């Protein structure tokens, strides 16, 4: 995330960039950035493999993406997280995936994702002393999605 910010000269507060870099650690995960006129509004990571601790072998055998580490700037009703989730559904459908999977470690966002965004709670799993809420949603095109996708490599 940080190299992308510097290479593309995106504006994002240093503490946010440091937090995101800390979440990623040494992993080479693809980070997708939602930006408007050079300002980072949010980001997410979309992995090509779902974790074995969260999904059954049958679920993992289905083509899917696993959406993790979504972050957005606080806004007054812009629902940037919802835009990013819709982008993930669209991206998955455009690339031939059947599902988008995601998890949450708090009941409140999991309830919101299911109630307001159409995710389906598959199960609750204990993970490192915390409850993980494991969800899924079929990939589907989002023809009215208000974002364009541009892939930029930092490697």
């Amino acid at each position: 995330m940080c190299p992308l910010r510097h290479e593309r000269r995106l504006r994002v507060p240093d503490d946010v960039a440091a937090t995101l870099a800390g979440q990623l650690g040494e992993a080479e995960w693809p980070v997708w950035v939602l930006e408007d006129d050079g300002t980072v509004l949010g980001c997410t990571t979309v992995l090509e493999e779902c974790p074995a601790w969260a999904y059954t072998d049958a679920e993992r055998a289905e083509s899917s993406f696993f959406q993790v580490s979504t972050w957005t700037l606080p806004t007054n009703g812009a629902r940037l997280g919802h835009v990013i989730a819709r982008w993930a559904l669209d991206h998955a459908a455009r690339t031939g995936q059947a599902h988008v999977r995601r998890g949450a470690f708090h009941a409140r966002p999991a309830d919101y994702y299911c109630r307001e965004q159409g995710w389906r709670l598959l199960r609750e799993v204990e993970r490192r002393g915390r409850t993980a809420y494991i969800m899924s949603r079929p990939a589907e095109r989002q023809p009215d999605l208000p974002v364009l996708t541009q892939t930029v490599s930092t490697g």
Side-chain angles (χ1 to χ4, degrees):
M1 176 69 188
C2 291
L4 179 63
R5 176 180 68 142
H6 293 295
E7 287 176 22
R8 299 232 11 245
R9 302 201 190 302
L10 297 175
R11 292 183 302 274
V12 61
D14 285 337
D15 60 331
V16 172
T19 298
L20 295 172
Q23 286 179 355
L24 295 175
E26 296 299 315
E28 293 194 21
W29 292 351
V31 176
W32 293 88
V33 177
L34 177 63
E35 59 107 351
D36 184 28
D37 195 27
T39 299
V40 173
L41 303 178
C43 65
T44 195
T45 298
V46 177
L47 304 176
E48 294 183 8
E49 192 171 311
C50 295
W53 61 265
Y55 295 92
T56 66
D57 289 341
E59 289 165 345
R60 293 179 74 232
E62 298 172 331
S63 64
S64 64
F65 283 147
F66 184 60
Q67 183 183 3
V68 297
S69 298
T70 301
W71 167 87
T72 63
L73 275 176
T75 61
N76 292 328
R79 300 184 67 195
L80 298 175
H82 186 73
V83 171
I84 290 173
R86 289 185 57 220
W87 170 85
L89 295 167
D90 187 76
H91 178 64
R94 288 177 186 271
T95 57
Q97 304 299 313
H99 304 276
V100 176
R101 316 279 195 199
R102 77 181 312 169
F105 280 106
H106 299 283
R108 199 170 190 174
D111 179 63
Y112 171 78
Y113 295 148
C114 293
R115 190 174 25 83
E116 297 292 327
Q117 294 184 3
W119 295 84
R120 183 170 63 97
L121 181 66
L122 299 177
R123 68 189 57 83
E124 295 178 18
V125 177
E126 289 302 313
R127 176 76 172 158
R128 297 182 181 151
R130 299 170 67 191
T131 300
Y133 301 89
I134 306 304
M135 296 163 277
S136 183
R137 194 168 161 187
E140 60 186 335
R141 298 285 297 266
Q142 304 287 311
D144 62 335
L145 188 64
V147 298
L148 300 174
T149 300
Q150 177 185 8
T151 303
V152 177
S153 175
T154 61

